[in-house]
């Protein structure tokens, strides 16, 4: 009925945060601050693509099943007072867990990339020590 509203709300917030990070990156004075802002803008872009893609698919599925209509109040569950409770139940039981799962997958992706970046930065030092005969 309306489970896509939860990831849509998170996608709106994260899209706004991404735009702010982009503007900070463009106006940042130092190279390090600019790189950090642009790096996080890129990573928030991954989350936004995952969230907006899921919202579009869920919205299409709900339109397909006649649960969304092109006129206000847009959700057919809002037309009948008896369906409002089940709609809220669906939001809590499906929308919230889906959003948490997508955000957790994104967090794992970011953690993996951060570890790879850290390993790549440390690699030249390790090789330099090995070349110099250090342990």
């Amino acid at each position: 009925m309306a489970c896509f509203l939860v990831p849509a709300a998170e996608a709106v917030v994260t899209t706004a945060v991404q735009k702010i990070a982009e503007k900070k990156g463009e106006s940042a004075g130092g190279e390090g601050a600019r790189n950090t802002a642009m790096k996080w803008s890129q990573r928030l872009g991954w989350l936004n693509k995952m969230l907006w893609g899921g919202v579009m698919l869920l919205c299409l599925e709900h339109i397909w099943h006649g649960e969304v209509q092109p006129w206000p109040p847009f959700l057919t569950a809002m037309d009948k007072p008896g369906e409002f409770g089940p709609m809220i139940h669906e939001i809590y039981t499906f929308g919230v867990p889906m959003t948490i799962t997508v955000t957790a997958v994104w967090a794992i992706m970011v953690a993996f990339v951060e570890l790879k970046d850290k390993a790549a930065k440390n690699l030249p030092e390790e090789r330099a020590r090995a070349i110099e005969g250090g342990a």
Side-chain angles (χ1 to χ4, degrees):
M1 288 182 222
C3 59
F4 63 95
L5 294 178
V6 178
E10 183 179 344
V12 167
V13 171
T14 57
T15 300
V17 171
Q18 181 189 12
K19 298 296 178 193
I20 291 169
E22 285 175 356
K23 287 189 178 191
K24 281 190 173 188
E26 292 171 358
S27 65
E31 187 69 27
R34 181 178 304 135
N35 287 343
T36 301
M38 297 311 283
K39 179 176 79 173
W40 281 103
S41 172
Q42 178 194 34
R43 292 175 184 172
L44 281 171
W46 300 341
L47 179 60
N48 288 332
K49 287 173 186 152
M50 292 166 64
L51 288 170
W52 284 119
V55 167
M56 293 299 165
L57 287 174
L58 285 170
C59 193
L60 182 67
E61 188 267 338
H62 286 294
I63 290 170
W64 186 271
H65 288 105
E67 296 170 346
V68 176
Q69 57 194 13
W71 52 85
F74 303 111
L75 302 171
T76 56
M78 297 291 285
D79 284 341
K80 301 170 195 162
E83 292 188 19
F84 186 74
M87 181 183 77
I88 296 297
H89 179 73
E90 182 188 289
I91 288 172
Y92 281 118
T93 56
F94 293 108
V96 172
M98 282 189 304
T99 304
I100 289 171
T101 302
V102 168
T103 305
V105 168
W106 171 78
I108 291 168
M109 289 170 50
V110 169
F112 180 75
V113 170
E114 287 288 326
L115 287 173
K116 283 196 76 155
D117 278 353
K118 193 174 182 178
K121 287 178 183 172
N122 291 335
L123 186 60
E125 292 177 18
E126 292 174 4
R127 283 193 177 171
R129 276 188 261 142
I131 290 171
E132 292 173 1

